[in-house]
C-alpha cells in the first residue's frame, strides 16, 4: 500500500532508534505494529513480525489490524494481541515504547502512528532511515540488470524484512509457516467445520474486481478437477455464497460442497492445512496455502506473482500470470487475468499431479 497523500503532524517523536538500543527501549513497554490490511497482507508480513518477536522476547507486541484477522495473528505466534484498526484509521494506543509501520510508505500511516506519541518510530522514508524504493533491488547478484522472467519490483515479503533489518532486527523472509488451529488448542468446543483431509479447495472470489476471474471459467476448472478425481469444496466469505453456489451448480456439485459463508477464519485455516490442492486468484487463501505448504494453482493479474505470489523454489505452487501489468483498482477483471484460460489452469494442475494427502503434525 502506498498512502502518499500529504499529511502534517507536529507530534514530537524520536524517529530512529536502532539495534541494541531499540531492543533496550522496547523492553520498557509494549510495541505497536500497524498493518491494517487483509489476510494476504498479514501473512506476507509474518517474517518481519517474527523477526521483531525474536528481537524482543517477553515484550507485548500489539498488532493494529482489523479485528477479524485476530485468529490468524494469534496463530502466528508473533503478536500478543490485536488492536482493532481500520486501514488508515486512528491507532488507539497511547505512548508505546516503539511503533512500527508495516502498513505502507506513508505519510498517512506514519502520521497515524505518530499520533500515538511513541518513544520511537520505525517506518520508511523518515530522515536518515531506509527508503521505500530499494536501491539496486532488481537483478540482485548480477549487476542490477533485470533478467528475462524477472520483475523490477520488490517482493512484498522482502520489503518489510528490509525495513526491520535497517533498524538492526534481522528477519528470515522464508519464515512464512502458520500453526494449525488444533496445534494451539484454538479449535472451538464444537470442533472445526472442515470437510476432511484431501479435498481440493476452489476459492473463486477476491476482494478486488480486478483480481476476480470470471465465474464460468471457475466452473470449467471445477468440472475438469472432478474429471481428474478431485473431491471439491467451494469456499468464500458470506457475501460470496451466491458466487460459490454458481460454481458448484455449474460443475454439478452437491450443496454440501459449498462452504462459502459456513466457515470462520480458523475453519478456513484448518481446511487449507489439510487440503490436497488450493485453487484461487491472487487472494489471502493463496497465501494460506503457502503458509501450510499445501499445493496451489493461483491465477494472477494485474499484479505479478514476483511481488505477491508464493516464494520461488517451492515446486508445490504454480502461480500463473500472462505477463501484463494492470490497474489493481480497476472496477472490472484485469485484461492480463482474462488472458489466462481454464486450459492453462488445468495444465498446471496436471503438472503438479498432486496425490491426496493427509496432514502430519
Amino acid at each position: 500500500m502506498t498512502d502518499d497523500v500529504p499529511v502534517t503532524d507536529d507530534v514530537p517523536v524520536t524517529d530512529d532508534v536502532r539495534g541494541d538500543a531499540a531492543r533496550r527501549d522496547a523492553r520498557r513497554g509494549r510495541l505497536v505494529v500497524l498493518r491494517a490490511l487483509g489476510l494476504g497482507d498479514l501473512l506476507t508480513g509474518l517474517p518481519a513480525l517474527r523477526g521483531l518477536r525474536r528481537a524482543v522476547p517477553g515484550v507485548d507486541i500489539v498488532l493494529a489490524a482489523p479485528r477479524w484477522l485476530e485468529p490468524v495473528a494469534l496463530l502466528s505466534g508473533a503478536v500478543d494481541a490485536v488492536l482493532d484498526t481500520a486501514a488508515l484509521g486512528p491507532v488507539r494506543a497511547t505512548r508505546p515504547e516503539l511503533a512500527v509501520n508495516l502498513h505502507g510508505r506513508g505519510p498517512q500511516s506514519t502520521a497515524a502512528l505518530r499520533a500515538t506519541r511513541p518513544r520511537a518510530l520505525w517506518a520508511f522514508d523518515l530522515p536518515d532511515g531506509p527508503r521505500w524504493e530499494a536501491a539496486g533491488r532488481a537483478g540482485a547478484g548480477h549487476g542490477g540488470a533485470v533478467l528475462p522472467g524477472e520483475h523490477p519490483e520488490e517482493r512484498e515479503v522482502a520489503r518489510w524484512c528490509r525495513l526491520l533489518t535497517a533498524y538492526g532486527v534481522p528477519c528470515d523472509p522464508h519464515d512464512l509457516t502458520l500453526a494449525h488451529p488444533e496445534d494451539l488448542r484454538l479449535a472451538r468446543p464444537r470442533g472445526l467445520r472442515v470437510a476432511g483431509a484431501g479435498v481440493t479447495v476452489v476459492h473463486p472470489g477476491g476482494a478486488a474486481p480486478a483480481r476476480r476471474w470470471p465465474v464460468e471459467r471457475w466452473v470449467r476448472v471445477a468440472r475438469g478437477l472432478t474429471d481428474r478425481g478431485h473431491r471439491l469444496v467451494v469456499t468464500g466469505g458470506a457475501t460470496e455464497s451466491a458466487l460459490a453456489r454458481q460454481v458448484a451448480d455449474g460443475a454439478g456439485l452437491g450443496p454440501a460442497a459449498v462452504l462459502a459463508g459456513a466457515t470462520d477464519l480458523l475453519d478456513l485455516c484448518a481446511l487449507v492445512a489439510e487440503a490436497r490442492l488450493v485453487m484461487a486468484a491472487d487472494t489471502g487463501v493463496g497465501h494460506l496455502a503457502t503458509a501450510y505448504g499445501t499445493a496451489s494453482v493461483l491465477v494472477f493479474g494485474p499484479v505479478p506473482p514476483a511481488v505477491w505470489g508464493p516464494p520461488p523454489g517451492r515446486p508445490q505452487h504454480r502461480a500463473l500470470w500472462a505477463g501484463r501489468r494492470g490497474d489493481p483498482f480497476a472496477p472490472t477483471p484485469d485484461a492480463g487475468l482474462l488472458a489466462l484460460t481454464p486450459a492453462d489452469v488445468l495444465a498446471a494442475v496436471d503438472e503438479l499431479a498432486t496425490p491426496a494427502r493427509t496432514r502430519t503434525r
Side-chain angles (χ1 to χ4, degrees), residues 18 37 40 46 51 67-68 123 128 132 141 187 198 212 219 233 267-268 274 290 297 301 310:
R18 297 174 185 262
L37 297 164
L46 284 186
R67 175 65 65 192
W68 70 272
D128 301 321
W132 176 266
R212 293 178 196 153
V219 168
V233 295
D267 294 330
L268 185 62
E274 298 176 1
T290 296
V297 176

Side-chain angles (χ1 to χ4, degrees), residues 305-339:
V307 178
W308 279 97
R314 298 194 183 186
Q316 71 269 42
H317 305 300
R318 294 287 189 277
L320 307 183
W321 187 51
R324 307 178 191 174
R325 288 195 58 87
D327 178 6
F329 304 106
T332 56
D334 177 69
L337 181 63
L338 295 179

Side-chain angles (χ1 to χ4, degrees), residues 4-210:
D4 53 7
V5 178
V7 172
T8 59
D9 195 309
D10 59 359
V11 177
V13 64
T14 302
D15 283 334
D16 185 0
V17 180
R18 297 174 185 262
D20 292 339
R23 288 186 277 274
R24 286 195 300 272
D25 291 332
R27 290 190 182 100
R28 298 172 185 160
R30 70 177 183 174
L31 282 66
V32 173
V33 181
L34 176 61
R35 195 160 176 81
L37 297 164
L39 176 60
D41 305 276
L42 173 57
L43 293 172
T44 54
L46 284 186
L49 286 168
R50 286 181 171 143
L52 191 61
R53 172 81 288 163
R54 287 189 294 270
V56 287
V59 174
D60 284 345
I61 297 179
V62 177
L63 178 68
R67 175 65 65 192
W68 70 272
L69 289 172
E70 183 175 47
V72 169
L74 297 179
L75 276 179
S76 75
V79 304
D80 300 288
V82 170
L83 181 65
D84 192 18
T85 305
L88 299 183
V91 179
R92 303 188 186 282
T94 303
R95 297 185 182 277
E97 289 297 324
L98 174 64
V100 181
N101 187 354
L102 297 185
H103 186 93
R105 69 182 302 171
Q108 287 174 298
S109 52
T110 300
L113 286 174
R114 282 181 181 274
T116 69
R117 303 181 69 87
R119 184 183 183 280
L121 173 64
W122 294 356
F124 281 116
D125 294 343
L126 296 177
D128 301 321
R131 303 292 95 190
W132 176 266
E133 299 294 341
R137 64 170 179 255
H142 40 74
V146 180
L147 297 182
E150 289 188 332
H151 196 276
E153 289 192 65
E154 187 173 24
R155 290 189 68 82
E156 181 71 6
V157 171
R159 184 187 300 280
W160 302 110
C161 289
R162 176 170 61 85
L163 173 68
L164 289 191
T165 299
Y167 285 102
V169 175
C171 302
D172 178 3
H174 302 290
D175 192 2
L176 293 162
T177 58
L178 197 63
H180 191 287
E182 291 179 353
D183 292 338
L184 296 188
R185 301 172 184 258
L186 291 179
R188 273 75 66 222
R190 59 168 172 75
L192 291 164
R193 293 187 299 257
V194 298
V199 299
T200 289
V201 175
V202 177
H203 190 87

